[in-house]
Amino acid sequence: MVGIRGGHSAAIRRAAAGCALLMVAAVTGCGGDDKPAAATHRPVTMAGKSGAALPVPHGRGSKVPDDFNGDGAPDLVLDDLVHDGLGDDAGIGVVYGKKGHGLVPGARQLLRPAKYAAPTKGETPAAFDSEASCDLDKDGFTDLVVSTDPPFDGQGQPPVPLQILFGGPGGLTRQGVKLVVPAQARFGNDWPDQPVCGDFDGDGSVDLTVHASGGRLSFLRGPFTRKGAPRAAGKPLTAPGNVPVGPAFDVDRDGYDDLLVRRTSHGSSPSRIVLGGPQGPARSGASLPSGLGLAVGRFTKGAGADTALLTTSGVTLTHQGAAHVLKASGTSITAGDFDGDGLGELVVSGGDVTILKATGQGTATVTPKATGTTQVLKAADFDGDGRTDLAVRTYRGESANTVAVYTGSKGGKLVAARPQVAFSTTEFPS
């Protein structure tokens, strides 16, 4: 099972994930107009110049999520970078993978706004942060949706702050283009942000939902043109909240992607699942209580999906109405099938990283060994062996941060005791 990022149709993702269904979403700490809380964004220092960069492998296109160069291997995006002489926002780091091997630290790229962002009224954005990744133009190469800070005088509707960096055989090599949100699809005077990718209308193309304000969502039907325009967009959809949260997921297995919508962007807010259909994400589903994060998937044996809600008291795992609490503490939750048995495991991070495997009423806990405060970056099958791997970032201070990938493992260990690959972010090019 692979963590779903929302970059392909529901049918494609189910095939890639095997028999298990997984969705992971942050339930707090993000909002329609707000950035996530500062505590969840720790900077990665990139002050050094050690290590020679390797060329990005060229691909021919794939259906693998987060595969910007289309070579069949997932790639890794790194935000919140710090680099001497490059201002407050150094840009976005990308480490490319190699099919059958995993991440290749030398095949790396720094997406600086000065080079990759589209200017507005002659101004280059100061902010440049990744928001979502999916194949928007249906060419077999994952594209990256980024947020920027275009100039705005505060009068009327603000400009669209989202841009698309289209993938290709050499990766993300093109300058961004501004996302087009047609006038009829907008509502109110909030910033149109919080993009979520998914095939919400079930036509096989990736769509985008974007916050519109006033309990509305802008629904943009894919595929998108290379000028950033959707195939179609109607009136905003009414939603049970203001904050769409990715990744998308097909919770009821009806062939339409669904998403989570939080009521508000402030504090611990209740949420509701919004179900996709021919008209897009337009039907309200199950309501969910407040929490720090949510995972939906098949974590226990039996029919139906399970939910795992992270709170300050632990993880409440619910299956067919019965709930029990797994002991774990942290600030975020994700999931993956690390041992390849078809059932997902839960990963709680925000200090240490703890993997929980539901075994009846108990758990098996594994904590990757790493000195410092560690946060999960991504759970994905980087090496293509059918088991989810775990990419984590460890903070040892503002000038000593590392990224490590622990491969999935059979036999109850869940992940390898030592990382398959580890690298310092100081190796990125300037």
Side-chain angles (χ1 to χ4, degrees), residues 120-330:
T120 299
K121 296 181 180 179
E123 292 188 22
T124 298
F128 204 58
D129 300 293
S130 68
E131 296 289 346
S133 59
C134 46
D135 185 5
L136 291 171
D137 57 352
K138 208 174 181 179
D139 66 348
F141 300 92
T142 302
D143 311 309
L144 186 66
V145 183
V146 302
S147 62
T148 65
D149 57 345
F152 176 53
D153 62 6
Q155 303 298 315
Q157 286 189 334
V160 177
L162 301 174
Q163 298 187 12
I164 303 171
L165 275 65
F166 287 101
L172 299 167
T173 59
R174 301 176 179 89
Q175 186 182 51
V177 299
K178 298 174 184 178
L179 175 68
V180 177
V181 181
Q184 70 270 17
R186 296 194 63 173
F187 182 86
N189 292 333
D190 284 356
W191 289 91
D193 56 10
Q194 301 298 326
V196 179
C197 300
D199 183 9
F200 301 107
D201 57 7
D203 68 351
S205 297
V206 176
D207 315 307
L208 279 178
T209 60
V210 179
H211 164 75
S213 80
R216 307 287 205 287
L217 297 176
S218 296
F219 174 49
L220 311 177
R221 296 180 187 262
F224 288 70
T225 70
R226 284 296 180 93
K227 294 183 178 180
R231 174 179 62 84
K235 294 181 179 180
L237 302 176
T238 301
N242 279 310
V243 188
V245 180
F249 59 102
D250 183 7
V251 69
D252 52 2
R253 301 196 180 202
D254 64 351
Y256 302 97
D257 276 343
D258 315 308
L259 78 158
L260 191 75
V261 175
R262 293 186 58 227
R263 185 178 300 170
T264 68
S265 61
H266 305 290
S268 183
S269 171
S271 308
R272 183 178 288 273
I273 293 173
V274 177
L275 302 172
Q279 304 306 313
R283 298 174 295 139
S284 291
S287 60
L288 301 166
S290 302
L292 300 173
L294 174 76
V296 178
R298 187 166 176 246
F299 308 118
T300 61
K301 293 182 178 180
D306 309 317
T307 62
L309 183 69
L310 175 64
T311 68
T312 55
S313 301
V315 177
T316 300
L317 182 63
T318 303
H319 176 75
Q320 295 182 341
H324 65 279
V325 177
L326 312 178
K327 293 183 179 180
S329 61

Side-chain angles (χ1 to χ4, degrees), residues 39-40 42-43 330-331 349-353 368-377 392-397 400-403:
T40 65
R42 299 291 296 272
T331 58
S349 66
D352 291 330
V353 176
K369 296 179 180 179
T371 302
T373 301
T374 300
Q375 191 79 24
V376 171
L377 288 171
V392 300
R393 185 163 56 190
T394 302
Y395 312 100
R396 299 182 176 88
N401 301 320
T402 59
V403 174

